[in-house]
Amino acid sequence: PRSTLFPYTTLFRSLGFAAILLALAEPGIKLPETKTGAVILVDTSASITRDDLARASAIVTEIARHQGRNWMDVIPFASQTRRLSNVETSRGFHLRRTAGEAAGATNLEFALLNTMAAAPTGYLPRLVLLTDGNENEGSSARAIAELQNLHVPVDTIPLPGRPRSGVRLEALSMPREAY
């Protein structure tokens, strides 16, 4: 009986010894990290109301609260992008309307294309767009097509904006000379 168990005990001792050696070698598997680099674009043009700015500030604050190990940057825009002021970032986010002539236009194309590479290396880029969609400069369709080619996702959170009238001017043409 003892001689019939010998091959099994030797096998189990050998397997146990191999397991101990494997554990001492401290093997590890490096899994790719999927940290996201989110650029949050907030429309602060004249078409955005105070209530919209308050809602956008609350949304950005909530995103920041759940950021974890991911990276994020908040970029307000109207006709151009701008940096957040100290007033807008003290004790949470309190976004303000863009001042001056820049507030009179909304250029989604400029905002999307000029911030798509803002995420640091090693992070998966993602754009989050908070806007009323009232674009009056550039072409958001062209920007979205470019971002799709680069595999950069764009999440859009709609803001109501100011009430729109039923009239929208699509094109205007005039003769070169008038008599």
Side-chain angles (χ1 to χ4, degrees), residues 44-110:
T44 57
S45 66
S47 65
I48 299 295
T49 66
R50 287 180 191 250
D51 289 342
D52 292 337
L53 289 172
R55 179 171 181 252
S57 296
I59 290 169
V60 170
T61 300
E62 190 67 18
I63 293 171
R65 230 170 35 98
H66 293 93
Q67 177 180 347
R69 297 181 323 139
N70 298 305
W71 177 90
M72 72 172 260
D73 191 15
V74 179
I75 301 176
F77 73 94
S79 63
Q80 299 177 355
T81 58
R82 64 178 177 85
R83 300 305 309 165
L84 287 169
S85 68
N86 291 336
V87 173
E88 291 175 300
T89 58
S90 65
R91 295 188 214 136
F93 290 94
H94 308 285
L95 298 163
R96 294 182 172 209
R97 190 171 294 119
T98 297
E101 284 185 36
T106 304
N107 191 338
L108 298 174
E109 179 182 20
F110 183 86

Side-chain angles (χ1 to χ4, degrees), residues 84-166:
L84 287 169
S85 68
N86 291 336
V87 173
E88 291 175 300
T89 58
S90 65
R91 295 188 214 136
F93 290 94
H94 308 285
L95 298 163
R96 294 182 172 209
R97 190 171 294 119
T98 297
E101 284 185 36
T106 304
N107 191 338
L108 298 174
E109 179 182 20
F110 183 86
L112 289 165
L113 294 180
N114 285 295
T115 57
M116 69 181 171
T121 304
Y123 289 84
L124 296 174
R126 174 174 226 100
L127 299 178
V128 180
L129 178 65
L130 286 89
T131 182
D132 62 354
N134 187 11
E135 174 180 45
N136 52 17
E137 284 185 6
S139 169
S140 59
R142 188 171 40 228
I144 294 296
E146 180 68 26
L147 291 166
Q148 283 178 333
N149 287 338
L150 297 170
H151 304 289
V152 176
V154 179
D155 299 310
T156 304
I157 301 172
L159 299 173
R162 298 195 186 284
R164 291 176 179 83
S165 68

Side-chain angles (χ1 to χ4, degrees), residues 15-28:
L15 288 174
F17 184 68
I20 291 171
L21 287 176
L22 185 63
L24 290 174
E26 297 181 8

